[in-house]
Amino acid sequence: MRTDPRGSARTPGTATGGETVPTVPPASKAADAVDVTALLERGRTLATPVLRAAVDRLAPPMDTVAAYHFGWIDAQGNPADGDGGKAVRPALAVLSAEVTGAAPEVGVPGAVAVELVHNFSLLHDDLMDGDEQRRHRDTVWKVHGPAQAILVGDALFALANEVLLELGTVEAGRATRRLTAATRALIDGQAQDISYEHRDRVSVAECLEMEGNKTGALIASASSIGAVLGGADERTADTLETYGHHLGLAFQAVDDLLGIWGDPESTGKQTWSDLRQRKKSLPVVAALAAGGPASERLGEILAADAKSSDFENFSEEEFAARAALIEEAGGREWTAEEARRQHTIAIEALDTVDMPDRVRDRFAALADFVVVRKR
Amino acid sequence: MRTDPRGSARTPGTATGGETVPTVPPASKAADAVDVTALLERGRTLATPVLRAAVDRLAPPMDTVAAYHFGWIDAQGNPADGDGGKAVRPALAVLSAEVTGAAPEVGVPGAVAVELVHNFSLLHDDLMDGDEQRRHRDTVWKVHGPAQAILVGDALFALANEVLLELGTVEAGRATRRLTAATRALIDGQAQDISYEHRDRVSVAECLEMEGNKTGALIASASSIGAVLGGADERTADTLETYGHHLGLAFQAVDDLLGIWGDPESTGKQTWSDLRQRKKSLPVVAALAAGGPASERLGEILAADAKSSDFENFSEEEFAARAALIEEAGGREWTAEEARRQHTIAIEALDTVDMPDRVRDRFAALADFVVVRKR
């Protein structure tokens, strides 16, 4: 019996305008039998108390600002039970410890460090991008001001290193080094994202490179950090990173689909969210690169939009028309296919490294979940 | 024969309005004979090529933005020979390697990491504080925009960890852990500095705590990081940190004096710079805490200034009058005395740890230099 209504790889998602997310065959029968909800819950349950204790170390008012960002309190400082996100990264981090035969708990400092780096980047990116909403709430810079967003982001980044390095082991040094490389890639990806905003055209290859940096690198780190802390050799760690990198690309492709066609009820974002923000996401760049009448028409419209002073006031119908053109040009199907392609590469990577079958099935099930999710 | 025109502990500094910096007796005859200019130059010469190579690893346009920040190119991208600062930190880092009998080169990755963290904090602080000028040039956020200041700051912070951790040694892990703790203190100090701006009164103790975090922690790290990389034991590293922490407090006390009474020709700042920015620096808080007629009058004036909409247009004479009141209330002499006090504690710490006399004399000479400098 399945207990996870979201995690079935056999049930394609549906949302505004039809199926949003790609249908993938489950990686295996065994993977399909994994209780993904329980796996995500395990990561969250193990990591959250340690994450909260780490954040509690911050000096006021940074502790409060960080607690607001994580959804633990509201803007007035009252306790809140915010949406902490899907928690895919902590689930991966504690699972990866089991690759080495270690207990999932061994991966916890890694899970916490990855979450701290992830949230450092969210705090800074939201400010740089001027995004006013995240997870259904006002962003930190909007509530507490730009200085606090910068400062608390910096503090979370430092805290990530602290949580790992205070373990004082050789493995912790290796884990920090790998996480640092991922963080640099994350920053490179944000630099690319910003520079693309000012350009008329971005190639599919450039978009994939940016997404590999911005999303792939940290999910790669999450997928291997527990194993590194458990003493895995370099080859095992590298292979788990490969799994995570491609899983991250699949994740981002699905995110890009949800960013246009996602159901606002599920995603917590506006309808046509990425179109409203003129994001050059995968469906858009793939549609523009496809050629043909719909692609050319889309190119003309987006070029005119870029100069339009009235863009803010566009109607639902105007965004829907753009989304329809992207779909007609093949951008939607190409992106869904890209998610399936990356999902396959991720699953294949798992077969090249020794690990208990039970652990492999769980990695595969998390990959299935990432591709079929609706939020 | 002395070859250093700036470094003599016997020559007190003079600037606008009389002597700016405290006179200290040199720590020792041997210290007084050290060529401080050559010592600073050595740190700079060893660290700069490695620093530039590290910055060159950044993806465009972050490499260019960072090169502008460090003064290697101008705003148009042409090569420049900017003022790289006094380079006290790199000099301390390579010197500290010699405590363990290692070559100064062993301290170079530490010197570079400390410089990267220092400049990460400058990039972010200038943006948070809205400071438009640094080292006689427009700040990065002013030239390249706020997003680049955030992003390149983040990248320099990550690069600092990378430069250390790619050494792959146990010592590098220890050094990174200590540097991370210093970085957290730095961030705490900036948080305190920001919160104090919104308050009417700040106590001397609070100001010293803030300055210990904002300046003391990283100079402490610079003073010990080379020794840690050279394999020093924890006690030696802690003692060198104690030296550096108090040297940092002396450094900041002198900075606070120069921030009010410094010669603009030497400091590269405006006259009465800190007063124009309403900084609650040591001379100000000490004067306000002193009591007596001048102290009370100063308190009234500064309270009125805080509400004045015309503050930006105040004349030289108005700032000079405030500076005179701070001096009359004893804030200037108290701060000079504080610099001497911290200098003494720093020098005393050196005596509690084993190191070659030649190395001890150089640490003492750098402490003398920090206290008598005019910029």
Side-chain angles (χ1 to χ4, degrees):
Chain A
M1 280 289 289
R2 295 191 56 86
T3 56
D4 173 22
R6 291 172 301 172
S8 170
R10 275 171 301 198
T11 315
T14 54
T16 325
E19 287 182 10
T20 305
V21 294
T23 316
V24 288
S28 67
K29 271 199 178 169
D32 199 40
V34 171
D35 185 344
V36 174
T37 304
L39 205 53
L40 293 170
E41 189 55 36
R42 182 180 75 164
R44 201 184 277 117
T45 304
L46 285 172
T48 303
V50 181
L51 180 63
R52 292 189 78 139
V55 167
D56 275 348
R57 288 189 213 164
L58 297 178
M62 294 185 286
D63 53 351
T64 308
V65 175
Y68 172 78
H69 170 76
F70 282 105
W72 304 330
I73 58 172
D74 64 20
Q76 287 71 47
N78 303 312
D81 188 16
D83 174 6
K86 292 169 285 292
V88 172
R89 292 174 192 81
L92 287 166
V94 299
L95 177 59
S96 78
E98 294 186 281
V99 169
T100 63
E105 284 75 9
V106 169
V108 168
V112 171
V114 167
E115 280 298 274
L116 288 167
V117 167
H118 176 53
N119 284 283
F120 137 70
S121 78
L122 296 181
L123 279 163
H124 283 189
D125 290 0
D126 283 343
L127 175 58
M128 287 185 249
D129 300 341
D131 289 342
E132 300 186 358
Q133 291 267 316
R134 167 163 309 275
R135 297 172 190 156
H136 308 251
R137 312 161 76 222
D138 284 344
T139 46
V140 163
W141 70 266
K142 191 86 182 141
V143 176
H144 294 282
Q148 289 300 324
I150 297 171
L151 203 55
V152 175
D154 292 346
L156 295 186
F157 184 9
L159 213 46
N161 295 321
E162 198 170 296
V163 163
L164 286 175
L165 290 168
E166 69 193 5
L167 296 173
T169 61
V170 174
E171 288 74 26
R174 287 175 58 212
T176 312
R177 190 179 167 188
R178 283 176 176 268
L179 182 59
T180 298
T183 308
R184 284 252 286 125
L186 204 78
I187 295 165
D188 285 352
Q190 172 68 3
Q192 290 164 327
D193 204 5
I194 289 175
S195 77
Y196 294 171
E197 270 174 37
H198 303 293
R199 282 169 42 181
D200 287 341
R201 282 285 169 119
V202 175
S203 72
V204 171
E206 287 172 325
C207 186
L208 287 173
E209 192 192 332
M210 182 269 281
E211 296 192 342
N213 282 327
K214 222 175 149 170
T215 310
L218 198 60
I219 294 186
S221 196
S223 303
S224 61
I225 199 165
V228 174
L229 292 174
D233 58 33
E234 291 293 293
R235 201 189 137 265
T236 301
D238 288 343
T239 307
L240 290 171
E241 282 199 9
T242 301
Y243 158 85
H245 180 78
H246 293 284
L247 180 62
L249 283 168
F251 184 99
Q252 189 58 52
V254 173
D255 240 33
D256 285 357
L257 289 169
L258 294 172
I260 298 179
W261 294 281
D263 178 1
E265 286 281 315
S266 302
T267 62
K269 295 176 179 174
Q270 281 187 288
T271 53
W272 324 112
S273 166
D274 284 358
L275 297 182
R276 292 178 194 276
Q277 292 185 63
R278 308 180 207 240
K279 270 199 194 164
K280 295 190 181 70
S281 66
L282 268 189
V284 177
V285 298
L288 290 172
S295 174
E296 280 165 29
R297 180 86 192 103
L298 179 71
E300 289 160 16
I301 290 177
L302 295 185
D305 288 356
K307 291 176 201 142
S308 167
S309 57
D310 197 38
F311 189 79
E312 311 266 308
N313 302 318
F314 275 16
S315 67
E316 285 287 315
E317 288 69 29
E318 286 170 298
F319 288 116
R322 282 153 185 76
L325 268 179
I326 294 168
E327 189 161 0
E328 197 184 331
R332 185 174 184 176
E333 182 44 36
W334 188 91
T335 304
E337 180 57 33
E338 173 67 10
R340 286 188 286 266
R341 209 161 30 233
Q342 297 296 343
H343 173 270
T344 302
I345 304 173
I347 298 293
E348 284 171 358
L350 293 176
D351 290 330
T352 66
V353 65
D354 267 346
M355 67 177 91
D357 283 344
R358 185 182 45 86
V359 176
R360 191 187 316 274
D361 293 338
R362 288 175 165 187
F363 271 119
L366 282 170
D368 292 349
F369 164 74
V370 157
V371 178
V372 301
R373 73 200 157 88
K374 294 179 212 167
R375 58 188 278 264
Chain B
M1 280 287 291
R2 295 189 55 85
T3 56
D4 173 21
R6 291 174 301 175
S8 169
R10 277 171 299 198
T11 316
T14 55
T16 325
E19 286 182 13
T20 305
V21 292
T23 315
V24 289
S28 68
K29 271 200 179 168
D32 200 39
V34 171
D35 184 343
V36 174
T37 303
L39 206 53
L40 294 170
E41 190 53 37
R42 180 180 76 163
R44 202 183 278 118
T45 304
L46 286 173
T48 303
V50 182
L51 180 63
R52 292 189 79 141
V55 167
D56 276 347
R57 286 189 215 166
L58 297 179
M62 294 185 286
D63 53 351
T64 308
V65 175
Y68 171 78
H69 170 76
F70 282 106
W72 304 330
I73 58 172
D74 65 20
Q76 287 71 46
N78 302 312
D81 189 19
D83 174 8
K86 293 169 285 291
V88 171
R89 291 175 192 82
L92 287 166
V94 299
L95 178 59
S96 79
E98 294 187 281
V99 169
T100 63
E105 285 76 8
V106 169
V108 168
V112 171
V114 166
E115 279 300 273
L116 287 167
V117 167
H118 177 53
N119 285 283
F120 136 73
S121 79
L122 296 181
L123 278 164
H124 284 189
D125 290 0
D126 284 343
L127 175 58
M128 286 185 251
D129 300 342
D131 288 343
E132 300 187 358
Q133 291 267 315
R134 165 162 313 272
R135 299 172 188 155
H136 307 252
R137 312 163 76 221
D138 284 345
T139 45
V140 162
W141 70 267
K142 190 84 180 145
V143 175
H144 294 282
Q148 290 300 326
I150 296 171
L151 203 55
V152 176
D154 292 345
L156 296 186
F157 184 9
L159 214 45
N161 295 321
E162 199 170 296
V163 163
L164 286 175
L165 290 169
E166 68 192 5
L167 296 173
T169 61
V170 173
E171 287 75 25
R174 287 174 57 212
T176 313
R177 189 177 169 189
R178 283 177 177 267
L179 182 59
T180 298
T183 308
R184 283 253 286 127
L186 205 77
I187 295 166
D188 285 352
Q190 173 67 4
Q192 290 165 327
D193 204 3
I194 289 175
S195 78
Y196 294 171
E197 271 173 35
H198 304 292
R199 284 169 40 182
D200 288 341
R201 281 285 170 119
V202 174
S203 73
V204 171
E206 286 172 325
C207 186
L208 286 173
E209 191 193 334
M210 183 269 282
E211 296 191 343
N213 281 329
K214 222 176 150 171
T215 309
L218 198 61
I219 293 185
S221 196
S223 304
S224 61
I225 198 164
V228 174
L229 292 174
D233 60 31
E234 293 292 294
R235 199 189 139 264
T236 301
D238 288 344
T239 306
L240 290 171
E241 282 199 10
T242 301
Y243 157 85
H245 181 78
H246 292 285
L247 180 61
L249 283 169
F251 184 99
Q252 190 58 52
V254 173
D255 240 33
D256 286 356
L257 289 169
L258 293 172
I260 298 178
W261 294 281
D263 178 359
E265 286 280 315
S266 303
T267 61
K269 295 175 179 176
Q270 282 187 287
T271 53
W272 324 111
S273 167
D274 283 359
L275 296 182
R276 291 177 195 275
Q277 293 184 65
R278 308 181 207 239
K279 270 200 193 162
K280 296 189 181 72
S281 66
L282 267 189
V284 177
V285 298
L288 290 172
S295 173
E296 280 166 30
R297 180 87 191 101
L298 179 70
E300 289 160 14
I301 289 177
L302 295 185
D305 288 354
K307 291 178 202 141
S308 167
S309 56
D310 197 39
F311 188 77
E312 310 267 309
N313 303 318
F314 274 19
S315 67
E316 285 288 315
E317 289 68 30
E318 285 170 298
F319 289 116
R322 281 151 186 78
L325 267 180
I326 293 167
E327 190 162 358
E328 196 185 332
R332 185 174 184 174
E333 183 43 36
W334 188 90
T335 306
E337 179 57 32
E338 173 67 9
R340 286 189 285 268
R341 204 158 38 229
Q342 297 296 344
H343 173 270
T344 302
I345 303 174
I347 298 292
E348 284 172 356
L350 293 175
D351 290 330
T352 65
V353 64
D354 266 346
M355 67 178 91
D357 282 345
R358 184 181 48 85
V359 177
R360 191 187 316 274
D361 293 337
R362 289 174 165 188
F363 272 120
L366 282 171
D368 291 350
F369 164 74
V370 157
V371 177
V372 300
R373 74 199 157 89
K374 295 178 210 165
R375 59 189 279 265

